[in-house]
Amino acid sequence: MIIAHRQQLAFTHIPKNAGTSIRHWLMRHVETAREVQDHDGEVIKHCPPTHLYRVGQRSLRFFAVVRNPYDRL
C-alpha cells in the first residue's frame, strides 16, 4: 500500500490488476508517496484499508484498480 499524505490518497494494490505499474508511477511522480512499512522496515504490500482506519488515517481517499473478470477469461 502506498500513501501520499499531502494528496490524502492511499493506493491499495490488488494482485494482477496493474498495481505494480501504478506503484512505480506514484513513487516516481508524487513527492509525498511512501510505501507503508511494518515495525521491521518491511514493505507491507497488501494492507486492508480498515487497518489504516484503526491507526487514525480516516481522512485518506482509497483507490485501487479492478479488472473486469470477463477480460481474464
Side-chain angles (χ1 to χ4, degrees):
M1 177 173 279
I2 294 179
I3 296 178
H5 286 286
R6 186 181 310 153
Q7 292 79 10
Q8 295 182 335
L9 288 175
F11 171 64
T12 302
H13 183 169
I14 299 173
K16 306 304 281 180
N17 284 288
T20 302
S21 298
I22 293 172
R23 193 177 93 241
H24 286 295
W25 188 91
L26 284 170
M27 296 301 287
R28 189 177 311 128
H29 297 289
V30 180
E31 290 179 15
T32 61
R34 299 289 178 262
E35 293 183 309
V36 177
Q37 297 180 353
D38 63 8
H39 297 293
D40 298 328
E42 295 287 323
V43 174
I44 300 173
K45 290 185 179 182
H46 309 290
C47 176
T50 54
H51 171 74
L52 293 175
Y53 283 142
R54 283 181 259 159
V55 296
Q57 299 291 332
R58 293 180 187 273
S59 65
L60 295 174
R61 292 174 289 172
F62 295 89
F63 75 99
V65 175
V66 181
R67 286 189 178 169
N68 183 344
Y70 292 114
D71 291 342
R72 295 204 61 196
L73 293 175

